[in-house]
Amino acid sequence: MKFEGASILSVSQFERADIDTIFHVANHMEPYAQRQKRTRVLEGAILGNMFFEASTRTRISFGSAFNLLGGDVRETVGFESSALAKGESLHDTARVLSGFSDIICMRHPEPDSVADFAKSSRVPVINGGDGSNEHPSQALLDLYTIEKELKGLGRKIDGLRIAMIGDLRHGRTVHSLSKLLMLFNNISVQLVSPKDLAMPKNIVEDMRSKGLSVIESEKIESSISHVDIVYSTRIQEERFTSKDEADLYRGKFRLNQAIYTAHCEPNTVIMHPLPRDSREEANELDIDLDGNPSLAIFRQTDNGLLVRMALFAMTLDVVHLVEKNSSDVPWHNLR
Ligand code: CP
């Protein structure tokens, strides 16, 4: 695809060569993310960071990525503090905000809302999560992490065996990741969820039609025993009508060190898009896994910065200028 000036709304936009390009650019962002060097390549540019639904890492990661490229960030946080709460349409909001910004990142609770917003925006829009539909930048950082973790084990994404666990019905990260995996060869997927929270049928059918081996199950132990990656997800309480309804499913698929040792192959990588629900009744990834070197959840968040820097540099067409606008950092770097 042509990245310059493009909005990033769905992973369905990408071909496999695009993924290689994004990962290549992301690798080059490492010295800047690590503060070994700094670049002012986006000096004067403004990111409109519009988050109409709760977020910690996606919002801050997009903002930090833009700052690390030298740009400034303006934010709206929460529906109630925006004019959407006064009845303003997404069309009007997009017309206004795209006059203030060079690029916009947006999260919104309604599926396809970010794509609607993008139609009225005069600048590129990156989907930071539209309801239970998609979360493209998360899937890219997840796949980037998978590639890095497998490389350390002498493997590639082709041939990957992965278990996705939890609320696969509402989890936008697993929807986007599943679609990205369709670009690769010889992929085996174990989908582990309660029947009511199963992966949408159209995604399962698409995966099978693209040649992926897909097994659906309600049992975590047997599903994680022959995979390279265990990708756990949270029960997406915000998509249920009540907390009580979400409680019916919480805590059904717990992973802790004892279960990992008993059922997983050595070096099985543990991933989660975060936030993990660490409340006792959920505890989907126990903190006793925190000392396990195969727990990649915080490497995922670090990688997110690289991938998001790459997306900004590519959509704003400055990849070739990043190095030219770089200098050493003057402060003491503790990393
Ligand atoms: N993974 C993710 O989207 O996290 P946040 O909800 O904190 O942005």
Side-chain angles (χ1 to χ4, degrees):
M1 69 172 274
K2 182 176 177 292
F3 281 92
E4 299 82 10
S7 290
I8 309 290
L9 303 171
S10 163
V11 294
S12 304
Q13 292 171 245
F14 301 129
E15 295 177 4
R16 185 156 166 175
D18 300 323
I19 304 300
D20 293 341
T21 309
I22 295 167
F23 290 2
H24 179 74
V25 177
N27 288 339
H28 284 284
M29 295 300 171
E30 197 145 323
Y32 306 100
Q34 291 288 328
R35 278 68 154 179
Q36 289 152 1
K37 287 198 276 185
R38 62 177 175 161
T39 178
R40 309 301 302 164
V41 70
L42 288 184
E43 190 160 25
I46 293 177
L47 164 69
N49 215 17
M50 307 295 139
F51 275 69
F52 300 112
E53 193 177 55
S55 169
T56 295
R57 73 226 77 234
T58 309
R59 180 172 66 85
I60 304 294
S61 172
F62 270 128
S64 300
F66 208 76
N67 288 149
L68 285 166
L69 292 168
D72 292 317
V73 182
R74 295 287 176 269
E75 296 201 311
T76 288
V77 177
F79 185 84
E80 289 305 320
S81 64
S82 82
L84 292 179
K86 300 176 187 172
E88 185 167 61
S89 67
L90 280 179
H91 167 81
D92 286 1
T93 305
R95 290 294 296 169
V96 172
L97 294 178
S98 58
F100 303 161
S101 316
D102 297 279
I103 189 164
I104 292 173
C105 293
M106 180 173 164
R107 173 173 288 186
H108 191 284
E110 289 302 319
D112 300 321
S113 53
V114 182
D116 283 346
F117 179 94
K119 283 179 197 152
S120 305
S121 171
R122 291 167 278 171
V123 299
V125 177
I126 301 183
N127 183 357
D130 58 327
S132 57
N133 183 35
E134 279 228 31
H135 196 341
S137 65
Q138 177 72 44
L140 288 168
L141 77 87
D142 288 339
L143 195 65
Y144 182 72
T145 303
I146 290 170
E147 184 179 77
K148 274 189 164 177
E149 297 288 323
L150 291 183
K151 194 173 180 188
L153 301 171
R155 305 271 311 277
K156 294 188 166 171
I157 300 175
D158 288 320
L160 173 72
R161 303 166 301 163
I162 184 170
M164 298 187 202
I165 300 167
D167 184 354
L168 307 182
R169 176 180 172 195
H170 302 108
R172 56 194 170 202
T173 72
V174 285
H175 299 168
S176 291
L177 182 57
S178 297
K179 292 176 192 177
L180 274 189
L181 289 175
M182 295 181 208
L183 298 173
F184 293 82
N185 299 319
N186 196 18
I187 305 289
S188 303
V189 184
Q190 301 269 347
L191 300 175
V192 188
S193 70
K195 274 202 168 57
D196 292 340
L197 303 184
M199 182 71 80
K201 276 193 171 34
N202 63 318
I203 298 179
V204 175
E205 283 165 13
D206 280 355
M207 282 196 280
R208 288 189 172 135
S209 73
K210 298 263 167 47
L212 282 74
S213 161
V214 183
I215 296 174
E216 295 184 89
S217 163
E218 291 187 74
K219 289 202 171 18
I220 184 169
E221 288 83 358
S222 54
S223 304
I224 61 175
S225 49
H226 299 293
V227 295
D228 308 296
I229 307 281
V230 172
Y231 187 102
S232 179
T233 65
R234 179 178 62 88
I235 300 299
Q236 308 280 300
E237 184 178 322
E238 60 276 29
R239 309 284 172 234
F240 290 81
T241 49
S242 67
K243 180 179 177 299
D244 287 351
E245 196 193 352
D247 282 342
L248 295 175
Y249 305 105
R250 226 189 294 276
K252 283 204 184 301
F253 302 114
R254 298 165 190 263
L255 184 63
N256 59 27
Q257 188 57 47
I259 295 171
Y260 180 90
T261 305
H263 298 282
C264 291
E265 292 175 355
N267 302 321
T268 301
V269 179
I270 308 162
M271 295 176 60
H272 192 300
L274 302 182
R276 59 176 156 173
D277 188 342
S278 293
R279 290 171 290 191
E280 199 177 330
E281 62 272 27
N283 202 22
E284 54 213 16
L285 277 189
D286 197 291
I287 55 166
D288 74 357
L289 289 162
D290 285 7
N292 185 328
S294 295
L295 185 78
I297 56 176
F298 301 118
R299 294 193 285 276
Q300 283 172 264
T301 51
D302 286 349
N303 289 336
L305 208 50
L306 305 177
V307 168
R308 291 181 173 119
M309 288 174 79
L311 291 178
F312 288 136
M314 293 168 77
T315 51
L316 295 175
D317 196 16
V318 294
V319 173
H320 59 297
L321 297 173
V322 170
E323 178 73 27
K324 280 187 194 144
N325 285 274
S326 71
S327 58
D328 291 336
V329 294
W331 60 85
H332 182 58
N333 187 348
L334 290 174
R335 282 180 170 74

